[in-house]
Amino acid sequence: MGLLALSAAFSSAAQAQTTLRVTTIPEEAATEQVRKFTPLANYLEKQLGMKVVFTPVTDYPAAVESMVNKKVDLVWFGGFTYVQAKLRSGDKVVPLAQREEDTKFQSVFIAKTDSGIKSLVDMKGKQISFGSASSTSGHAMPRGVLVQAGINPEKDFKRIAYSGAHDATIASVVSGKVDAAALDITVWKKFVAENKVDTKAVNVFFTTPTYFNYNWSVHADMPVALQNKIKAALLALNPANPEHAEILRLNRATRYIETKPENYKELEAAARNLGLL
């Protein structure tokens, strides 16, 4: 390689490190994603000494493709979308950190309290909503629980809808568009805490067993030094620090901890058994 080519290569590498491009699966509306993740992006800018640009995507597959095609550098994945990205990239997606809550995550099934639905079996013959087809907590894990209970969603439900996001899932039950639905337990708890849902009218009738879920992931081609800086910044978020506490609150986290690919092997196996991969 000539001196000019070598200089250009170094220049390109340096330019690539001036901006960190971040996105997330659209588990909630785009406005809510921006509200939640902007303070974290500002924090990362300070910690990394580089510009951080957060851009919402339209759907879960778009988050996967953005990482696989290296259109973004850092993605907040659900467990299932992480597995999809890992497989689509030829095992080149690296999970850096997850919330402490993600080690024992759960999904909830909700219905109107006067619907007569008190158990999974009661859902038979009803109109049901999942979140995105690519959602871990809003589809993959709830579907697995249903199958284990002897329920075939395609045969036993009157209709299956996919809302696309957890907040939309809640709205579909509240409005009566569907009779019951499955979603992320932390989004449900947030809605209850913020009085955005009347639990006398709509409430949880089943909670799933625990599983590993969300994580922050990067592409393996990212320089290891930058991977380590991002991980260190996430792990350094301290609830005793008011600024950090607000970031953690917005991200429904007590703190971030390290994670590893092995944590998602069980989820990958479950998804394969369900024919989702």
Side-chain angles (χ1 to χ4, degrees), residues 102-123:
D102 292 314
T103 63
K104 293 182 178 179
F105 209 84
Q106 293 175 295
S107 299
V108 291
F109 285 82
I110 61 172
K112 285 196 171 180
T113 51
D114 62 1
S115 66
I117 299 175
K118 305 298 180 187
S119 68
L120 297 179
V121 174
D122 293 337
M123 295 168 67

Side-chain angles (χ1 to χ4, degrees), residues 16-261:
Q17 297 306 304
T18 60
T19 301
L20 186 76
R21 300 160 302 172
V22 182
T23 196
T24 76
I25 56 170
E27 53 177 341
E28 294 182 85
T31 52
E32 180 65 6
Q33 292 179 62
V34 171
R35 186 180 78 88
K36 282 187 346 187
F37 290 109
T38 296
L40 178 60
N42 293 339
Y43 165 79
L44 288 174
E45 278 196 347
K46 295 175 189 173
Q47 297 297 309
L48 303 176
M50 61 197 301
K51 186 176 181 181
V52 175
V53 176
F54 174 72
T55 306
V57 291
T58 54
D59 55 34
Y60 283 54
V64 172
E65 293 306 312
S66 293
M67 172 57 75
V68 172
N69 296 319
K70 296 193 278 189
K71 299 278 182 66
V72 294
D73 307 296
L74 178 66
V75 180
W76 178 244
F77 280 130
F80 183 59
T81 40
Y82 157 70
V83 169
Q84 287 180 311
K86 171 178 168 288
L87 297 176
R88 284 273 294 107
S89 66
D91 207 21
K92 295 203 76 178
V93 172
V94 181
L96 298 181
Q98 62 185 174
R99 299 170 302 187
E100 196 167 37
E101 288 78 0
D102 292 314
T103 63
K104 293 182 178 179
F105 209 84
Q106 293 175 295
S107 299
V108 291
F109 285 82
I110 61 172
K112 285 196 171 180
T113 51
D114 62 1
S115 66
I117 299 175
K118 305 298 180 187
S119 68
L120 297 179
V121 174
D122 293 337
M123 295 168 67
K124 287 187 175 183
K126 304 291 187 180
Q127 299 188 82
I128 307 301
S129 180
F130 292 116
S132 165
S134 299
S135 173
T136 310
S137 56
H139 180 229
M141 298 313 287
R143 179 178 281 269
V145 167
L146 290 167
V147 170
Q148 286 179 345
I151 297 170
N152 182 326
E154 275 65 36
K155 290 182 178 179
D156 293 330
F157 295 154
K158 182 178 179 180
R159 180 174 71 95
I160 297 175
Y162 291 91
S163 71
H166 299 295
D167 47 4
T169 298
I170 296 173
S172 69
V173 177
V174 171
S175 67
K177 286 183 179 178
V178 296
D179 302 301
L183 71 146
D184 173 327
I185 191 172
T186 67
V187 175
W188 173 256
K189 286 182 174 179
K190 184 185 84 168
F191 266 60
V192 172
E194 296 177 357
N195 295 314
K196 290 182 178 178
V197 62
D198 179 4
T199 53
K200 291 180 181 176
V202 175
N203 211 346
V204 173
F205 66 88
F206 185 88
T207 303
T208 70
T210 60
Y211 54 89
F212 280 93
N213 202 0
Y214 301 88
N215 67 54
W216 283 107
S217 286
V218 298
H219 199 282
D221 289 348
M222 176 184 284
V224 173
L226 182 55
Q227 291 184 36
N228 290 338
K229 283 181 74 174
I230 294 169
K231 182 193 292 188
L234 291 169
L235 300 188
L237 285 165
N238 182 353
N241 177 316
E243 180 189 347
H244 294 188
E246 178 62 8
I247 293 170
L248 292 168
R249 184 190 69 77
L250 286 169
N251 289 269
R252 305 192 300 276
T254 50
R255 65 188 179 110
Y256 282 101
I257 60 174
E258 287 192 68
T259 191
K260 55 188 178 181

